[in-house]
Amino acid sequence: MESSTLFSIFIIAATLTATAVAKPRGGDFIKSSCNVTRYPDVCVKSLRPYAAALRAKQSQSELVKAAVKVSLVYAQNSTAWTVTLSRTSRSLSKTERSALKDCVQNFGDTSDQIRQSLTELKHLKRGTFKFQMSNVQTWMSAALTNEDSCLDGFRYDQNGRVKVLVQGRVQNSEKLISNALALVNNLASTGGYSKVF
């Protein structure tokens, strides 16, 4: 093989390698983006199903929408789970039933606020970006507060089985919402001038 052909092959291989290094994979994009969150491992794991789509777009706004969507699905599932628990468990005390009823309301409010956030994120515009992101930050912060309020009804129930179960749900939900909010805040700090649309 001639030296000029070998040289051409070397240049092509080097270019392909450089391109592969320059453009991070979906997982790498998610991992680096999740570094701004309080629970980066949870963030990476929760966004893994969106890796292919995020790899293709490499867009912060798409990543934020995915994180908000994950927290919404979990909040909705938590509502359904809490309703089922309150209906099927016959050994619940009056206090536990009342607390679960409050949790259903809180999870529902959380879902509504996250849903509003997701709708706003789907219609971001440069001219109203700061205003829209301020709305999302307000709603996601309120959603985080709602989750914590769910446990208020269990405050006198020190080690009850139902409290432990609900506490686990709330903690998981809080981690997902907290991570989504951190990513929202990070996106808001760009002012709409980075690759967000």
Side-chain angles (χ1 to χ4, degrees):
M1 190 176 289
E2 294 182 7
S3 60
S4 60
T5 304
L6 284 172
F7 181 73
S8 296
I9 291 171
F10 173 77
I11 293 295
I12 291 168
T15 303
L16 290 173
T17 302
T19 302
V21 170
K23 187 171 184 179
R25 296 172 301 173
D28 295 334
F29 175 63
I30 291 171
K31 189 173 182 180
S32 62
S33 298
C34 284
N35 285 336
V36 302
T37 68
R38 190 172 176 185
Y39 309 100
D41 292 341
V42 173
C43 180
V44 170
K45 186 177 179 181
S46 68
L47 292 174
R48 203 169 284 151
Y50 298 90
L54 293 173
R55 180 189 301 124
K57 295 189 177 181
Q58 298 282 304
S59 164
Q60 284 297 326
S61 67
E62 291 301 317
L63 180 117
V64 170
K65 281 187 274 189
V68 171
K69 193 181 298 182
V70 165
S71 67
L72 174 59
V73 169
Y74 194 87
Q76 290 172 328
N77 288 343
S78 294
T79 304
W81 176 84
T82 308
V83 168
T84 301
L85 180 63
S86 65
R87 288 178 179 170
T88 58
S89 185
R90 296 179 182 178
S91 60
L92 293 176
S93 68
K94 186 176 179 180
T95 301
E96 288 172 331
R97 286 191 187 282
S98 177
L100 284 175
K101 185 178 179 181
D102 289 343
C103 285
V104 170
Q105 180 66 49
N106 287 325
F107 284 137
D109 290 344
T110 295
S111 297
D112 289 342
Q113 288 154 343
I114 298 174
R115 194 179 296 108
Q116 284 177 293
S117 299
L118 189 57
T119 299
E120 192 82 316
L121 288 166
K122 288 178 179 178
H123 300 95
L124 291 177
K125 297 176 184 175
R126 290 195 187 279
T128 56
F129 180 81
K130 288 184 179 180
F131 174 73
Q132 289 177 289
M133 292 306 295
S134 177
N135 286 339
V136 174
Q137 287 170 312
T138 299
W139 291 323
M140 292 301 291
S141 295
L144 194 55
T145 302
N146 277 335
E147 292 300 276
D148 198 43
S149 298
C150 170
L151 295 176
D152 288 348
F154 292 98
R155 61 186 175 278
Y156 301 117
D157 184 11
Q158 296 303 315
N159 297 304
R161 180 184 64 86
V162 175
K163 180 183 178 178
V164 171
L165 290 172
V166 173
Q167 204 164 29
R169 275 274 168 177
V170 169
Q171 287 171 349
N172 289 339
S173 188
E174 284 180 334
K175 287 177 183 179
L176 293 173
I177 297 170
S178 171
N179 285 345
L181 180 56
L183 294 170
V184 163
N185 291 338
N186 189 54
L187 178 62
S189 71
T190 68
Y193 294 107
S194 68
K195 186 184 176 186
V196 297
F197 300 104

